[in-house]
Every structure is written in structure tokens, then in C-alpha cells.
Amino acid sequence: MTVLYVCVLLALSLRGLARRLRHKECFDEDEMKARVDRFLRNHTAGQLGGHMKGHMEGHVEGQLCSSFQLQASSPHHSNRSISPWRYRYPKSVAVAVCLCEGCIINGTEDTSYNSVPVRQVRRVLRRVRCPLNSTRYSLKTSLMEVPVACTCVIPKQ
């Protein structure tokens, strides 16, 4: 009876090892890109999608507060905001960066107000190298709080 029990345990552990070796959650580069595309379609509808591409067209990279001009007819909030921002992409996540310390009042920066980031929790994918096959990856989802815009506030007293 004990020998049978040991054989069953050995067979189960070998089966588990074989399953890990071909690890269904490990993808080659093409499979991973397809999974990422599917994730983006399912989890960014109405958040980023094509909207972000169009939103980026109105921004000037490296723009400073001193050179910012309000654009009342712009479809993008950041161009009409008294607390403007631009986006940068550290590690493929769009992050809003406030252009001004103060707020744009009557066409000039007024530092008696503060521009502060508005934060939102976003679901992101992280690529993890598979332990048994370094040419394949798995994808893990996690939540990340990121600045998505800026707003104008009265300074803390």
C-alpha cells in the first residue's frame, strides 16, 4: 500500500513538473502582443484607446508653463485648463505632468493658487520572464495609481 501511495505521489509530481515546463501562461513575443492587445481592448475602452493618440496631437513635448497658451476652442481639457498638463510615458504608462506650479489666471501664471495632479487607479500589465524558459513571458495584472490630469486648487493653509 505504501509503495502504491509513493508511486501515485511521484506520478502526480512529475505530471505537475511537465505542466510547469510547458506552462500554459507563458507566451512567446507574438502571443504576448496578442494578449496585450486583447487586454487593452477590454480594459481601456473609454479611458485611453484612440482618445489618447488624438489627445497627444495637441501637446508640445517639453512645453513649459511660461510658453503655454490657453486654447478655448481645443477639444482637449489640458489645452483649456487653468492648470495645464502634458503626458509623458515612463514604461508605457501615460502619466500627466503639471506644466505650472500655479494656475493660469487672466493669461499669466498666478502662484497664489496651486496646480496639483489628479490621480486615478489604473489596471496595468506587467511582463514577467517565465522561470523555466527565459524566451517566454507571462503577463500579470496589477493596479497602479497614476496622475491622469492636473487641477487648480487653493493652497493648504
Side-chain angles (χ1 to χ4, degrees), residues 16-155:
L17 178 62
R19 196 175 294 138
R20 280 195 303 270
L21 286 174
R22 64 175 191 264
H23 198 270
K24 290 182 181 179
E25 295 300 317
C26 287
F27 312 107
D28 65 26
E29 196 73 28
D30 291 335
E31 292 170 318
M32 188 181 62
K33 286 178 184 175
R35 294 272 177 146
V36 169
D37 288 343
R38 186 168 46 232
F39 174 87
L40 290 172
R41 279 193 310 273
N42 293 336
H43 294 283
T44 61
Q47 292 177 18
L48 295 177
H51 167 74
M52 185 58 68
K53 182 180 179 214
H55 193 73
M56 294 301 295
E57 291 169 3
H59 289 272
V60 176
E61 185 59 35
Q63 186 174 29
L64 303 174
C65 182
S66 59
S67 64
F68 178 78
Q69 295 290 315
L70 284 172
Q71 300 171 24
S73 61
S74 174
H76 307 298
H77 298 308
S78 62
N79 294 332
R80 298 189 324 260
S81 177
I82 61 172
S83 183
W85 66 90
R86 65 177 170 82
Y87 287 102
R88 63 183 180 86
Y89 286 88
K91 300 186 180 185
S92 301
V93 176
V95 176
V97 178
C98 299
L99 294 179
C100 307
E101 288 184 30
C103 300
I104 306 294
I105 306 294
N106 296 324
T108 59
E109 183 179 13
D110 183 340
T111 55
S112 62
Y113 298 96
N114 296 133
S115 286
V116 296
V118 175
R119 298 182 182 282
Q120 182 180 49
V121 175
R122 293 273 171 96
R123 184 176 306 278
V124 296
L125 286 177
R126 296 189 187 277
R127 182 174 74 165
V128 179
R129 197 175 295 274
C130 291
L132 299 175
N133 186 341
S134 64
T135 64
R136 295 175 74 82
Y137 302 91
S138 64
L139 296 169
K140 304 292 181 199
T141 60
S142 61
L143 298 177
M144 175 188 282
E145 186 178 278
V146 295
V148 295
C150 294
T151 192
C152 186
V153 297
I154 297 170

